[in-house]
Amino acid sequence: MSSEHVSTYPQTPHGGVLVDQTIAAADRAAYTERARGLATIRVDLEAIITIEMIATGVLSPNKGFMNEADYLSVLENGRLANGVVWPVPLSFAPIGKTNATIIEGLTEGDEICLSDEQGEPVAILAIEDIFAYDREHRAQQLFGTTDRNHPGVDSIYRRMGETALGGTLTLINRVDWGPFERLRQEPKDTWKLFYEEKGFNSVAGFITGANPLHRGHEYIHRNALEEVDGIFLQPLVEMAKREYVRHEYRIRGYQNVMEQYYPMDRSILSPLRVTYIFAGPREAILHALIMKNYGCTHALIGRDHAGIGDYYDKYAAHSVFDEYTKEELGIDIRLFHEVFYDARAATHATDRTSGTDDVRYRLNISGTGIRELLRYGFMPPKEIVRPESALAAFQGIQPKGVDAEGVAVNPPGKVIKSMFPYYLEYTRLGGPKRAEPLKPEDLTVDDLALVMRDVREHTGLIYEDVYDEYRGVLDHNRGLAPLWREEARDQFRAKQEKLIGELEAKLAQAVDKASDEFMYQDREEVERELTAAKALLAEMPGNLTPESLEGRTWNTMPYQRYRGADEE
């Protein structure tokens, strides 16, 4: 991407220059041969992904692994040593005795080869700094905890040695992305695509984790498309745990939905190969900067972005942006709250757009819950996941099904509490309150089946019934009225009127006091029966009469006058 082009774009890479530390195809053989003559450290797939991201500009302005000054500044201040915003350290600290021996023989200015597990050179690292670091300090500053149960903390102790190597990377050979290679986009590709080929003036980026595309995502995308020229969707691939939905199926789900429901000329899908850090709010900043480096002018951030368990507040990924100015971030951050489906309003909403917090009508959208529904064998409600997405997700979910006790990764009660909370306190969607709330730990798969049946049968009917009540009274053109319903109402009233006539006749013959109160009725009891019957008649819905409809006609002049005809 040439500098003259960049100056005309509505966005600039973070730090001002899009990094490109890749070798041209013509030079690859020579660099590969050179790398084979260097001291070599083998790296795993996770490290290779990071190397590729750095070298292709995804993590601009970084050109390699951080030196000690940048490393400490990032941990303590969320910025590089020169003050540029950067939230997470990019470190290379090989683990193992063999690597430790190699590192002992290195000095600043040396070069080493980084190879894959087959021994093939991937990159050359020009060493500019060698330093020791404190694992506990890294964990506390980056994750806010030193708890080994946190996967990011655990990774520090499992995957990182005691000495870090800082320096510039040169990428020699890219790793093939397998099923995603044809969808692969690097920053140099997207800047050209957005601003030269499509002529966009604005693009909103959206990075999401290992869940199928659901209606909460779609709500965010559609809101953004009302404002920006295009959206760039980047589902993370490769590094998700096996309990999620396999990546190729998840991407196919995205494609299924986008092809059917999205404006394809303004919607771009490209998997993002990135390592999970589980750094919560810091990772939200990182993702925003990644979107910026891909050329996006806007970053769409949802609730609990990059969160893990209960380690971070659900909206920590929102509040963290208050620590930086819009100018220094260089990308417009758009924050979205938790999306749910409001059956009473028949719409997707958030707490900021909904007029009620009535749990009776609410279906929550939970990525974890969606995965559990799939494992229990239930097609998620269409208000939560479109069937086109579920088609792929059902086939890609891991692990399949349930265990010997009929329970998936999460028990049924936990799924119900997270997605269908109304069931704990109300007998059905929009129904009456239970005498005693249900406890999630007592719920079974049978309860989950009842919830699913209730949601499928009634979610769409709630607003339809509300509409029908208004329609029944307001339709002036009775050609739209269901005649069978009006006939039933007339018959309903006629039969009740006959009953009232019979009760009135009985009242006329009733005695003041019956001789046998078990067999005969006195006048007072018949009067109570008649009063109840008349009250029921008064409560029966009636049909609109021609007279009542005529009273609604309010235009005072003939329509010829309204159409502009002169008065005759």
Side-chain angles (χ1 to χ4, degrees):
M1 188 175 67
S2 62
S3 57
E4 59 268 22
H5 281 149
V6 173
S7 63
T8 66
Y9 293 157
Q11 181 57 289
T12 56
H14 194 52
V17 177
L18 187 66
V19 168
D20 185 0
Q21 298 292 118
T22 61
I23 294 302
D27 299 325
R28 194 165 295 142
Y31 269 85
T32 299
E33 188 64 26
R34 177 180 152 202
R36 293 188 191 280
L38 300 173
T40 299
I41 293 179
R42 291 195 178 186
V43 291
D44 58 14
L45 178 60
E46 190 167 347
I48 290 173
I49 289 173
T50 302
I51 291 168
E52 280 198 1
M53 293 175 70
I54 292 171
T56 58
V58 177
L59 303 179
S60 296
N62 298 282
K63 294 183 177 182
F65 294 116
M66 291 179 176
N67 58 34
E68 186 174 18
D70 282 333
Y71 169 82
L72 292 174
S73 181
V74 165
L75 281 182
E76 294 168 10
N77 306 312
R79 301 170 184 275
L80 298 171
N82 63 7
V84 173
V85 174
W86 196 262
V88 297
L90 302 177
S91 302
F92 181 54
I95 197 168
K97 291 183 178 179
T98 300
N99 289 334
T101 301
I102 293 174
I103 291 171
E104 285 178 3
L106 296 175
T107 60
E108 294 178 16
D110 289 345
E111 291 184 329
I112 59 169
C113 170
L114 306 181
S115 71
D116 62 20
E117 294 184 350
Q118 285 73 45
E120 290 299 314
V122 172
I124 293 175
L125 174 64
I127 299 173
E128 298 160 7
D129 197 5
I130 302 173
F131 61 96
Y133 70 97
D134 184 334
R135 289 193 183 99
E136 185 172 342
H137 174 255
R138 179 186 178 100
Q140 186 62 49
Q141 293 295 119
L142 182 56
F143 302 114
T145 180
T146 57
D147 181 3
R148 285 290 295 266
N149 291 315
H150 186 294
V153 175
D154 184 59
S155 179
I156 291 174
Y157 288 91
R158 283 189 303 102
R159 298 187 66 253
M160 299 189 70
E162 298 178 353
T163 305
L165 304 177
T168 300
L169 284 164
T170 300
L171 180 66
I172 302 173
N173 293 300
R174 289 178 172 85
V175 175
D176 187 274
W177 284 22
F180 311 120
E181 186 65 34
R182 63 187 177 84
L183 297 173
R184 176 178 181 151
Q185 298 267 15
E186 292 177 359
K188 62 179 177 59
D189 304 316
T190 54
W191 287 81
K192 180 179 179 181
L193 174 64
F194 297 161
Y195 301 120
E196 295 181 27
E197 296 177 15
K198 290 186 173 292
F200 290 160
N201 289 309
S202 56
V203 183
F206 183 81
I207 293 175
T208 187
N211 295 318
L213 175 63
H214 56 60
R215 299 297 293 274
H217 297 145
E218 191 175 329
Y219 175 93
I220 294 173
H221 301 161
R222 293 189 183 282
N223 271 275
L225 279 168
E226 291 288 349
E227 182 180 2
V228 300
D229 293 339
I231 54 170
F232 184 51
L233 307 183
Q234 292 187 284
L236 303 184
V237 296
E238 293 298 341
M239 302 312 297
K241 293 186 293 185
R242 288 181 62 85
E243 72 180 64
Y244 294 124
V245 176
R246 288 296 304 167
H247 322 294
E248 58 271 25
Y249 291 97
R250 193 157 38 89
I251 296 300
R252 171 42 57 189
Y254 267 83
Q255 292 171 315
N256 288 350
V257 173
M258 291 175 68
E259 291 164 358
Q260 191 75 37
Y261 300 105
Y262 281 52
M264 291 304 293
D265 59 328
R266 299 171 56 208
S267 307
I268 299 150
L269 175 69
S270 179
L272 179 61
R273 237 180 170 205
V274 62
T275 58
Y276 282 86
I277 303 174
F278 301 105
R282 281 185 180 248
E283 197 158 0
I285 298 290
L286 175 65
H287 286 173
L289 298 181
I290 288 174
M291 296 179 220
K292 178 183 178 183
N293 282 327
Y294 270 97
C296 297
T297 56
H298 296 65
L300 310 177
I301 305 293
R303 179 194 69 93
D304 200 24
H305 187 98
I308 180 73
D310 297 322
Y311 287 101
Y312 311 109
D313 178 79
K314 296 302 182 183
Y315 286 102
H318 286 191
S319 58
V320 69
F321 287 98
D322 295 336
E323 299 175 15
Y324 305 96
T325 67
K326 180 180 177 180
E327 289 72 24
E328 61 186 353
L329 286 173
I331 187 167
D332 195 333
I333 307 298
R334 296 302 166 94
L335 305 175
F336 288 85
H337 284 61
E338 183 175 8
V339 181
F340 55 85
Y341 186 77
D342 183 345
R344 174 60 182 80
T347 189
H348 291 89
T350 71
D351 288 335
R352 293 175 67 85
T353 61
S354 175
T356 177
D357 58 358
D358 193 342
V359 73
R360 290 179 301 160
Y361 300 104
R362 181 173 293 195
L363 307 181
N364 289 335
I365 300 176
S366 160
T368 301
I370 291 168
R371 297 197 303 269
E372 294 308 302
L373 286 180
L374 297 173
R375 292 192 184 100
Y376 280 110
F378 293 113
M379 177 88 160
K382 62 185 181 301
E383 296 82 7
I384 293 176
V385 177
R386 287 197 185 272
E388 293 87 350
S389 179
L391 167 66
F394 244 127
Q395 298 173 75
I397 189 67
Q398 294 186 326
K400 305 286 187 181
V402 296
D403 64 15
E405 284 71 42
V407 176
V409 175
N410 287 311
K414 188 173 181 180
V415 181
I416 292 172
K417 181 180 179 181
S418 68
M419 298 188 72
F420 314 106
Y422 76 86
Y423 186 77
L424 301 178
E425 295 188 45
Y426 298 90
T427 59
R428 63 179 184 274
L429 193 64
K433 201 160 190 174
R434 298 183 185 276
E436 289 290 334
L438 301 178
K439 297 179 179 178
E441 58 269 24
D442 295 336
L443 302 183
T444 67
V445 179
D446 290 337
D447 289 286
L448 188 54
L450 286 173
V451 170
M452 293 300 297
R453 185 176 298 114
D454 179 28
V455 167
R456 289 182 183 180
E457 292 179 0
H458 299 128
T459 300
L461 293 179
I462 291 174
Y463 191 69
E464 183 177 332
D465 284 349
V466 172
Y467 175 80
D468 205 46
E469 286 298 310
Y470 283 80
R471 179 214 56 76
V473 175
L474 298 178
D475 263 348
H476 190 103
N477 187 329
R478 302 311 289 174
L480 296 175
L483 296 180
W484 60 89
R485 181 176 295 175
E486 295 198 346
E487 290 172 356
R489 284 178 176 175
D490 287 339
Q491 293 166 3
F492 193 1
R493 296 185 67 84
K495 295 180 189 307
Q496 187 68 5
E497 287 169 351
K498 288 180 180 179
L499 176 61
I500 288 173
E502 293 168 357
L503 289 175
E504 287 175 335
K506 185 169 70 168
L507 179 62
Q509 299 177 3
V511 295
D512 289 338
K513 186 171 180 60
S515 57
D516 184 343
E517 63 182 32
F518 291 101
M519 186 171 182
Y520 301 105
Q521 292 177 297
D522 57 28
R523 176 176 293 277
E524 184 179 350
E525 185 174 359
V526 177
E527 285 176 340
R528 289 200 300 270
E529 283 186 338
L530 180 58
T531 298
K534 287 181 176 180
L536 178 57
L537 178 63
E539 293 168 356
M540 289 180 179
N543 291 320
L544 297 176
T545 64
E547 292 77 17
S548 65
L549 291 172
E550 184 66 26
R552 297 183 185 181
T553 304
W554 53 266
N555 48 307
T556 58
M557 296 185 294
Y559 260 111
Q560 289 86 342
R561 294 295 311 282
Y562 289 106
R563 294 190 180 110
D566 292 334
E567 184 177 1
E568 297 180 1

